[in-house]
Amino acid sequence: AAMVKETIRVYARVKPLGRQQQAGIYSVDDNEKSLSSLEIIVPRDLADGFVNNKRESYKFKFQKIFDQEAKQDVVFDSIAKPVAECVLAGYNGTVFAYGQTGSGKTFTITGGAERYSDRGIIPRTLSYIFDQLQKDSSKVYTTHVSYLEIYNECGYDLLDPRHEASRLEDLPKVTIMEDPDQNIHLKNLSLQQATNEEEALNLLFLGDTNRMIAETPMNQASTRSHCIFTIHISSKEPGSATVQHSKLHLVDLAGSERVAKTGVGGHLLTEAKYINLSLHYLEQVIIALAEKKRSHIPYRNSMMTSVLRDSLGGNCLTTMIATLSIDKRNIDESIVTCRFAQRVALIKNEAVLNEEIDPRLMIVQLKKEIQELKDELALVTGKQRTSELSQEELLQLDVLLETFLEDNDPDSTLDVGADMRKIKYCFIHVKQLMNHSKISDKKLLSQYIPEEKETNKETGEELKKLKELLQQRDNEINILVNMLKKEKKKAQDALFQLNAASACSTVFEQSPSINLEESQSPSSCFSLKEAKDFSSSVHRLPFLSRKTGGKMSLGCQEAFEVFKQDHADSITIEDNKQLLKQKFAEAKCLGEKLNEVRIKINHLKGEITQRHVQRAALAVSSPSEELNTLDPVEEKLRTQIEEEKKSYKAMFNRMKGLKVEIEHLQLLIEKVKMKLQKDFEVWWSEETINLQQEKPEMVSSPNTMTVYPQFIKSSQHLSTNSFSDTTRVSPNEDPAGKNNSITSSNPTLKTRTPPSSSTSIPLTGDSQADADILAFIKARQNILQKKG
């Protein structure tokens, strides 16, 4: 097999500076023949306390350096495309990004979520590979993808198809197995087939979503874990026995900053230790590989170095991209990254074409061999051996077994001859008899054991569940009451300003009134109709309950609606939706144009046919005419058809491009929605924790907790429905307006007609919070009665 020997190619990419950041001093020099060099200057005053004070300038060589302005497509063309080409030819390839947190690794590997042009190396590589496979009809290709996340030395399968994970721990654990030939196998890592680019991108999106949902506030996944997206390709020429396998790893490593600098403790410190440990082992492997005399390379020390064993000093074409953040604060980390890159650049890999014989052909050969051996056996024993035992042979064996089992003589033996099939049959039979006797013993035992314990346990668990539910409802109500107060203050301020500005009757429509459902306690008993009203107001969030695993409670959904209004991601979603609208419109327009052109082409074809008929008729009527000459009219029609076909093709290609862009945009919108929801969940859980810490003060505050005792008596004979919500209507407003649902620019403003209950108590001031609490007490009593 062909072999390619070359060192690992190392590139650098400089991240654009943020608004607040001060640029460090660096320069990029592309003049040297093959390599570019990067020079970083550290002023002496900065150099105190790290690195030695002698050196002021550091110079590093790279294959190529992408400065701050470099675009994603250029990075892909230089770095990933050559590797992808080799993978298509049957070699293994790896592209990995290394650098400190926030230096742009994820942006380079996966891409940004804002614009289509921000796609990173993974989506572009998928596009490129499927494009090439489509063009090559000489072979049959199959492609699979896998997506592995390594966090704290544990592997997780991000493409687990069975369920949506809400925590990283819910994803299947991936473990490493090694076969006798030192090959690494990942147990529990699913390989998903992708027949086209769309399927592959959907899998990538699923993985990214699982990764994002599995982040806890403690570990922002992008910085805290290594992610390895792998494309597996196997190809075979029709009729040939050899199969080529190749794989392409696209790796986003965890942030490489040193623990001392991050200044963290506790849980985060463990994390930092693990990350630094795996990156430390990566470095050790690289140092060992760079030393010529070393025979042992410590791949086994960490999960990541095990998975990437082939990529480092093995059968693989490897490329590394070092991402640098060149603002003053990060200069030292950038120098560390560059030093690491220089060491990586010394490693030599030997990539071999991965070919093997097709297993199906092997099967044919083996079957033939088995038949020959059977014939040989028959010759020796004088009997034709079938794979099954005959009926009478089985009966014979049963009799032999029975006598053997009933015989009390310790020396008795069971002799069935030198036939593996008979020996196996006897063993299975004995096993069945044993199991049968065990089962019947168990049944007898279980009849005598009283069943009281079961019921006790059940009631205990029921009680525990109810207590937890109660606690959860408590928290929800408190968070909602807090939100309600803030919203009400907003609403009152707004009303006050509006009234001051103009005392006209439009106040009601414009005031950012609170979403009415909010003041109804989440645990109060909704009537069916109200529940329907409510669910329709939440129909904008189809992705809510799908991804979180469970349904969100009503209180939670309410809070989410308010949270959403002020969140930056909502704006991104809206922008992308607008963009999507444009693209859809463009696609529709293109589709219509395509139809027009198609009709035109058909029409022209019709004219040519007609022309033929006319000329044939002419030939019959006057044979003297010169008919062999070219017909100028027909020629003109043909050229017209060619023109139309060209424009048709151009439009069709544009349409294809649009389709891909539209799909990508839809994925982006979905992704940002996920993020928005994730942020909300983090916020919600923080609020809950804060509440639990504040508990003691809450009790003493006059307008919340202490309301309980006074209300308990009255709440017993009031139905919860009587606490209907009436909005504050400005005095000059037509009271009949109350019953009309008012639609205004504020999406959360909805009034609801009061339920048909005679006692309607208008609530103002803080008594809305009181109503919440009342409803809550009612619910609490229900639960206590259940317990009782």
Side-chain angles (χ1 to χ4, degrees), residues 707-721:
V707 185
Y708 285 172
Q710 305 144 238
F711 269 116
I712 281 171
K713 287 192 194 88
S714 60
S715 67
Q716 278 162 355
H717 58 84
L718 279 176
S719 81
T720 7
N721 271 0

Side-chain angles (χ1 to χ4, degrees), residues 745-776:
S745 59
N746 185 339
T748 48
L749 174 65
K750 286 190 183 57
T751 43
R752 208 195 295 114
T753 45
S756 54
S757 148
S758 51
T759 52
S760 172
I761 307 167
L763 301 175
T764 51
D766 244 4
S767 44
Q768 278 192 342
D770 305 344
D772 270 344
I773 289 151
L774 262 177
F776 162 67

Side-chain angles (χ1 to χ4, degrees), residues 284-556:
Q284 281 197 337
V285 165
I286 280 159
I287 292 168
L289 284 165
E291 285 176 25
K292 299 280 179 291
K293 299 186 244 340
R294 285 285 281 273
S295 58
H296 170 69
I297 313 288
Y299 289 117
R300 275 213 197 88
N301 285 349
S302 83
M303 179 148 189
M304 196 198 32
T305 47
S306 301
V307 175
L308 293 184
R309 170 188 284 185
D310 273 356
S311 315
L312 305 164
N315 168 21
C316 192
L317 290 154
T318 304
T319 293
M320 166 180 158
I321 177 158
T323 54
L324 308 170
S325 181
I326 298 268
D327 57 309
K328 279 188 179 160
R329 282 217 328 281
N330 292 321
I331 280 283
D332 53 341
E333 283 295 343
S334 297
I335 290 175
V336 173
T337 301
C338 287
R339 282 185 177 153
F340 179 72
Q342 304 302 291
R343 285 201 287 277
V344 173
L346 299 174
I347 298 174
K348 277 196 176 56
N349 274 4
E350 295 179 5
V352 186
L353 262 184
N354 304 302
E355 293 186 324
E356 59 183 50
I357 303 294
D358 184 358
R360 275 170 298 191
L361 286 164
M362 291 288 287
I363 291 171
V364 173
Q365 287 171 346
L366 290 171
K367 276 187 176 164
K368 199 171 154 198
E369 208 173 308
I370 290 171
Q371 192 50 53
E372 284 169 1
L373 288 170
K374 274 188 178 171
D375 295 345
E376 219 169 295
L377 245 177
L379 262 180
V380 176
T381 56
K383 273 193 215 154
Q384 183 66 45
R385 163 79 61 101
T386 58
S387 54
E388 298 291 326
L389 289 164
S390 69
Q391 207 57 41
E392 58 211 76
E393 281 178 309
L394 293 176
L395 284 171
Q396 215 175 337
L397 285 175
D398 287 351
V399 173
L400 275 173
L401 247 178
E402 220 161 292
T403 48
F404 171 67
L405 288 172
E406 283 167 6
D407 190 349
N408 290 332
D409 179 8
D411 295 336
S412 68
T413 58
L414 176 63
D415 184 19
V416 292
D419 186 339
M420 261 330 277
R421 297 164 311 158
K422 291 183 178 177
I423 294 170
K424 262 192 185 153
Y425 176 77
C426 289
F427 270 116
I428 289 167
H429 206 74
V430 170
K431 188 177 179 182
Q432 281 169 346
L433 287 170
M434 285 290 294
N435 286 346
H436 193 69
S437 61
K438 266 189 199 162
I439 289 166
S440 49
D441 288 355
K442 258 192 192 159
K443 267 188 186 157
L444 284 169
L445 264 176
S446 63
Q447 286 165 1
Y448 297 113
I449 297 173
E451 291 165 8
E452 277 170 27
K453 285 180 188 171
E454 291 298 302
T455 47
N456 274 348
K457 211 165 88 181
E458 275 171 23
T459 39
E461 280 180 4
E462 186 74 10
L463 243 167
K464 199 171 147 200
K465 270 188 197 155
L466 285 171
K467 273 184 185 164
E468 280 171 6
L469 189 75
L470 214 58
Q471 179 58 46
Q472 188 191 334
R473 289 278 177 263
D474 260 359
N475 290 340
E476 280 185 10
I477 285 171
N478 288 331
I479 295 178
L480 277 171
V481 169
N482 287 344
M483 282 184 87
L484 206 63
K485 283 182 184 163
K486 282 182 197 159
E487 285 292 311
K488 249 171 81 182
K489 193 170 181 316
K490 268 195 208 167
Q492 278 162 0
D493 293 349
L495 268 172
F496 177 70
Q497 287 165 2
L498 279 166
N499 285 336
S502 64
C504 72
S505 64
T506 53
V507 172
F508 186 48
E509 271 127 290
Q510 291 159 355
S511 72
S513 165
I514 311 147
N515 187 345
L516 286 185
E517 285 107 350
E518 227 168 73
S519 43
Q520 188 126 8
S521 140
S523 50
S524 60
C525 323
F526 273 51
S527 68
L528 255 173
K529 182 177 160 300
E530 287 175 290
K532 275 185 190 146
D533 283 2
F534 182 79
S535 62
S536 68
S537 77
V538 191
H539 73 123
R540 293 194 297 282
L541 319 171
F543 60 94
L544 250 183
S545 52
R546 193 181 74 223
K547 294 290 181 199
T548 42
K551 293 267 180 252
M552 283 172 83
S553 66
L554 298 178
C556 207

